[in-house]
Amino acid sequence: MIVPMKKVSLIIRGSEKDKALKKLRSLGILHIEITEGTGERLANLKEQVALLESAIFTIGKIKNTEQKNVNAADALTIATEVNSLDEEKKRCQAEKVALDAELDRLKSWGDIDPSVLSDLESKGIEILFYEMPKAEYENLSDNVKTVRIDTTKSTVKFMLFKSNDEENEKFVSSLNVYRLALPQMSTDEMKQRISDLYNRIAEIDEIIVSHACYIKSIKQAIKNIEKEIEFETYTTGMSDENLSPDNKRSVTIAYFKGYVEAENLDKLKQTAEKNAWGILVEEPSTEDNVPTKLKNNKFVSLIYPLTDFLGTVPGYFEYDISGWFLAFILIFFGIIFGDGGYGLLICAVAAIPIIKSLISKKQISPMFLLVGLFGLSTVLWGTLTCTWFGLSPEQLPEWLKSLSIPVISNVYTDKIWYPFWTNGTAGLTTAQNLQILCFVFALVQLTVAHIKCAITNRKSLKVISDIGSAIELIGMFYLVLSFVVNGEVFSFALVIGGIPVGTMAIAFVAIGFVLSFVFANYEGSIIKSILASLTNIVSVLLGIFNLFSDIVSYIRLWAVGLAGAAISATVNELAGPLFGNFMFMILAIVILVFGHGLNMILNILSVVVHGIRLNTLEFSSHLGMAWSGFKFKPFEEKID
């Protein structure tokens, strides 16, 4: 359930802001609405956090390092040193890269020492070096005296002596494009400098790694400073009013808004009365930005690690679908993975940390319990469909095959199932039975959505629209079976026990549409509701096709599960023949481990893309949910 909240406005003396906030933090029950603050101190605190976080990133993850505890001030000093070393390392790396590039440029020229050339120049001998295309070199005038250094198929390296002769200077100027730019230092000096830089980088890395023992203290310092940032944000973000009529006296009040759980309201009132604070309590409205706090039993709460990972929080005025989310995602996970063997592996992965926690008498992480439930769901689906590591039914024991349900089991994929109303004239394959089951899940989940909406609107005629949507959904379900699964088995002319099933399905769609059209926008006037529907007639009509596509969308469960089964079977086919030869047995094992491992990874992605989508899109859209909420975060002393 979504915990009921109360909107409160607190008024305090401007001079007692800090004191009041400390008491509120100690109380730890009020979510304060202020999100932005100002001031130099706040900016400095944020810079400190950035400095500490940068140090953690620079040090990196180093396992099995004995931690040393230091205070926040020392942690900042260490972080400053680490960041300074990192900057020096970057400068060294940049210089090393530049020198490497310079050596590479001069590689074909051999060793060059610009100081020697400078000495010669001081004595009146200026030597210039060039590299130009061979054809152009051959066309140089015979009057030009050059000394050829090296010749390749396409280029010529040469040098010439520069003189003060006007003709020589003109010629030298024309060759500037081919002239070799001399380095700032000799090649030997560059090599030595690169070696020094390499050693300094290694030394810096060693020093940085030696600070890994302070990671825990740096992280703790970040948490402490973040609490200071929170306090400073609230202090500087409060609205202030000067009560002095002539503005000569400094008589100010500060006020702000926040939210408190309804059950904790009396505690806040008592604190406000004790400290002479003004307090105004109101019911939150849809215009307010109300935080959301979920409260469920321990089993339903197992879904929280997943929703926290997704960052999905229902709005305060939306629905808490945690229980339904958990129930359906377990079903969808099992169908998408589809293989009981994979389910056993998942259970084994979850069992290891669970057993460790039990042995050490520590609290079991909800994440591992959730993973264990996913594994059990997959084992159950694999048992019902007789799917184990992609093996064919012929390779499985009889007792395992007997546990499956025939109409959806892989043991009977070649069998046709004839519903009683077809008299053996039309039947369904195992694949079609699985498709029907997926559509049944669609019908159940989407119907649940409309029932929840009807309960919410039970005191308004708008409930008739929700009932109409449910009726329309039932009729559309049969149309999907007819169009997508089998038009002969689920024909529009079908009559069972004197009931025209096909005709009723069409009637249900029409009746449901009319009820929804008339009452969907009801706000006290049926006429206005109809006019609102007419205004959005295109969207209303498209809603019929959207309903059809929403149901059909659930076929993705069968399709993705089928793809995964095909991949696992293909992996087995590739590895199977190799087991006949001892020399290739290791290769076969590698193929099995890699192939099935890759398939499980793809299945995990499929659950995220498809299984979660059905809950957060199709199901949620029928509930009218936008997942627009954010978590209730009370201002408190506790540092996580």
Side-chain angles (χ1 to χ4, degrees):
M1 61 172 261
I2 294 177
V3 177
M5 295 284 169
K6 295 292 184 180
K7 175 183 174 182
V8 297
S9 299
L10 284 176
I11 303 174
I12 58 180
R13 294 185 184 92
S15 59
E16 296 184 358
K17 284 196 293 186
D18 288 0
K19 181 180 176 181
L21 284 173
K22 288 176 181 177
K23 289 183 178 180
L24 287 172
R25 185 169 63 183
S26 177
L27 192 62
I29 60 174
L30 182 66
H31 176 107
I32 299 177
E33 197 174 59
I34 299 169
T35 58
E36 293 185 6
T38 58
E40 185 177 347
R41 183 170 185 273
L42 183 61
N44 290 336
L45 289 171
K46 290 181 179 179
E47 287 178 4
Q48 290 176 13
V49 170
L51 180 69
L52 293 166
E53 289 177 341
S54 177
I56 291 175
F57 178 80
T58 300
I59 296 172
K61 293 183 179 180
I62 301 175
K63 297 181 179 179
N64 303 322
T65 302
E66 186 177 350
Q67 293 294 302
K68 297 180 182 179
N69 294 323
V70 296
N71 57 36
D74 290 339
L76 280 168
T77 302
I78 293 167
T80 302
E81 181 184 353
V82 168
N83 288 318
S84 178
L85 287 168
D86 187 51
E87 288 298 321
E88 182 185 351
K89 177 183 174 181
K90 290 176 180 177
R91 291 195 298 270
C92 290
Q93 288 174 329
E95 185 179 353
K96 182 176 175 296
V97 168
L99 290 173
D100 284 332
E102 186 72 348
L103 280 177
D104 187 64
R105 181 177 72 87
L106 301 170
K107 181 171 60 177
S108 61
W109 288 90
D111 293 333
I112 296 178
D113 189 346
S115 63
V116 173
L117 297 174
S118 295
D119 290 341
L120 291 174
E121 186 177 351
S122 65
K123 296 175 182 179
I125 304 172
E126 187 174 358
I127 303 174
L128 305 178
F129 297 88
Y130 298 88
E131 181 177 9
M132 67 187 306
K134 188 174 182 180
E136 292 189 33
Y137 180 80
E138 298 294 342
N139 291 330
L140 290 178
S141 171
D142 294 337
N143 296 327
V144 179
K145 301 301 181 183
T146 64
V147 178
R148 187 181 303 206
I149 299 174
D150 185 39
T151 303
T152 65
K153 291 182 178 180
S154 57
T155 63
V156 175
K157 291 184 178 69
F158 63 92
M159 67 178 185
L160 60 80
F161 296 92
K162 184 179 179 182
S163 67
N164 293 326
D165 179 77
E166 183 177 347
E167 184 177 349
N168 181 273
E169 286 195 6
K170 185 177 181 181
F171 173 74
V172 168
S173 178
S174 67
L175 294 180
N176 279 342
V177 67
Y178 301 116
R179 184 176 173 180
L180 174 68
L182 294 177
Q184 297 296 316
M185 63 179 73
S186 70
T187 52
D188 288 339
E189 289 175 326
M190 283 190 274
K191 291 175 183 177
Q192 182 59 48
R193 179 58 180 164
I194 289 173
S195 177
D196 293 341
L197 290 170
Y198 180 84
N199 292 333
R200 179 54 182 165
I201 291 171
E203 183 183 357
I204 291 173
D205 284 337
E206 188 176 340
I207 297 173
I208 289 175
V209 169
S210 69
H211 289 83
C213 59
Y214 301 110
I215 286 287
K216 186 175 180 180
S217 294
I218 294 174
K219 289 182 177 179
Q220 186 61 42
I222 290 174
K223 291 179 180 179
N224 291 335
I225 295 174
E226 284 177 342
K227 295 302 290 186
E228 291 185 50
I229 289 174
E230 182 183 42
F231 189 92
E232 191 68 18
T233 298
Y234 294 155
T235 302
T236 59
M238 287 187 194
S239 298
D240 290 304
E241 291 288 343
N242 193 339
L243 298 182
S244 175
D246 54 6
N247 290 327
K248 292 182 179 179
R249 292 177 296 167
S250 180
V251 181
T252 61
I253 61 167
Y255 59 92
F256 60 92
K257 291 187 294 184
Y259 298 90
V260 63
E261 297 170 63
E263 61 184 26
N264 290 327
L265 180 60
D266 288 341
K267 291 182 182 178
L268 182 61
K269 284 183 175 180
Q270 291 170 9
T271 304
E273 182 179 356
K274 184 178 178 180
N275 293 277
W277 300 339
I279 182 171
L280 172 66
V281 181
E282 301 173 278
E283 287 294 334
S285 70
T286 54
E287 301 298 322
D288 294 317
N289 201 18
V290 189
T292 302
K293 181 178 181 179
L294 302 179
K295 186 177 181 180
N296 289 290
N297 59 51
K298 289 184 178 180
F299 179 75
V300 173
S301 297
L302 293 178
I303 195 63
Y304 291 165
L306 179 58
T307 53
D308 289 343
F309 170 75
L310 297 172
T312 52
V313 180
Y316 179 76
F317 295 100
E318 295 181 342
Y319 298 94
D320 175 18
I321 60 169
S322 299
W324 293 108
F325 198 125
L326 177 61
F328 285 111
I329 196 62
L330 287 175
I331 295 172
F332 299 159
F333 189 100
I335 296 175
I336 288 174
F337 262 75
D339 193 299
Y342 289 176
L344 292 175
L345 293 176
I346 295 171
C347 288
V349 169
I352 294 173
I354 290 174
I355 293 172
K356 284 184 177 179
S357 298
L358 291 173
I359 293 174
S360 61
K361 296 182 180 179
K362 294 181 179 178
Q363 185 176 359
I364 301 172
S365 171
M367 172 61 77
F368 298 128
L369 293 174
L370 179 62
V371 172
L373 286 177
F374 284 149
L376 291 174
S377 172
T378 308
V379 170
L380 176 60
W381 183 257
T383 302
L384 297 179
T385 59
C386 197
T387 308
W388 299 91
F389 291 114
L391 298 172
S392 64
E394 293 77 16
Q395 297 172 292
L396 298 173
E398 288 298 325
W399 67 268
L400 201 55
K401 290 190 280 186
S402 66
L403 295 176
S404 64
I405 297 178
V407 293
I408 59 173
S409 173
N410 287 324
V411 180
Y412 305 98
T413 52
D414 296 329
K415 186 173 180 180
I416 302 297
W417 305 89
Y418 296 97
F420 69 89
W421 62 82
T422 62
N423 297 318
T425 58
L428 299 168
T429 63
T430 301
Q432 289 174 329
N433 288 332
L434 288 168
Q435 293 171 18
I436 293 171
L437 186 58
C438 291
F439 295 142
V440 168
F441 288 135
L443 177 64
V444 171
Q445 189 175 34
L446 300 183
T447 300
V448 166
H450 291 294
I451 290 174
K452 290 181 72 68
C453 290
I455 293 173
T456 302
N457 297 320
R458 62 187 180 278
K459 296 181 180 180
S460 167
L461 288 180
K462 201 171 184 178
V463 70
I464 298 176
S465 171
D466 299 317
I467 295 172
S469 296
I471 293 173
E472 186 179 4
L473 181 65
I474 295 171
M476 192 63 73
F477 170 73
Y478 186 83
L479 297 186
V480 169
L481 297 183
S482 179
F483 283 117
V484 179
V485 180
N486 192 312
E488 291 183 85
V489 174
F490 303 101
S491 68
F492 292 121
L494 177 62
V495 177
I496 300 178
I499 300 175
V501 179
T503 303
M504 284 191 63
I506 297 173
F508 272 27
V509 172
I511 293 171
F513 174 77
V514 171
L515 293 177
S516 180
F517 183 87
V518 174
F519 294 98
N521 300 291
Y522 181 79
E523 295 292 343
S525 171
I526 295 178
I527 300 298
K528 290 182 179 179
S529 178
I530 294 174
L531 290 175
S533 296
L534 287 172
T535 303
N536 300 295
I537 188 64
V538 175
S539 298
V540 173
L541 292 175
L542 286 175
I544 300 175
F545 301 100
N546 289 337
L547 182 59
F548 182 89
S549 65
D550 285 347
I551 299 175
V552 172
S553 182
Y554 283 72
I555 203 172
R556 68 181 67 236
L557 298 172
W558 167 77
V560 175
L562 183 65
I567 292 174
S568 59
T570 301
V571 171
N572 292 341
E573 290 177 7
L574 291 173
L578 299 177
F579 279 101
N581 189 319
F582 180 78
M583 298 294 293
F584 293 105
M585 190 171 293
I586 295 178
L587 177 59
I589 294 173
V590 171
I591 291 175
L592 285 176
V593 172
F594 176 78
H596 286 292
L598 179 61
N599 194 22
M600 291 186 71
I601 293 173
L602 293 174
N603 283 338
I604 292 173
L605 295 176
S606 296
V607 170
V608 174
V609 173
H610 301 290
I612 291 176
R613 170 208 161 100
L614 294 176
N615 280 289
T616 57
L617 186 59
E618 275 80 1
F619 182 42
S620 298
S621 65
H622 282 257
L623 283 166
M625 287 183 62
W627 297 97
S628 58
F630 60 98
K631 281 189 173 183
F632 174 78
K633 185 180 177 183
F635 182 43
E636 57 186 346
E637 296 277 5
K638 181 181 176 182
I639 299 177
D640 296 327

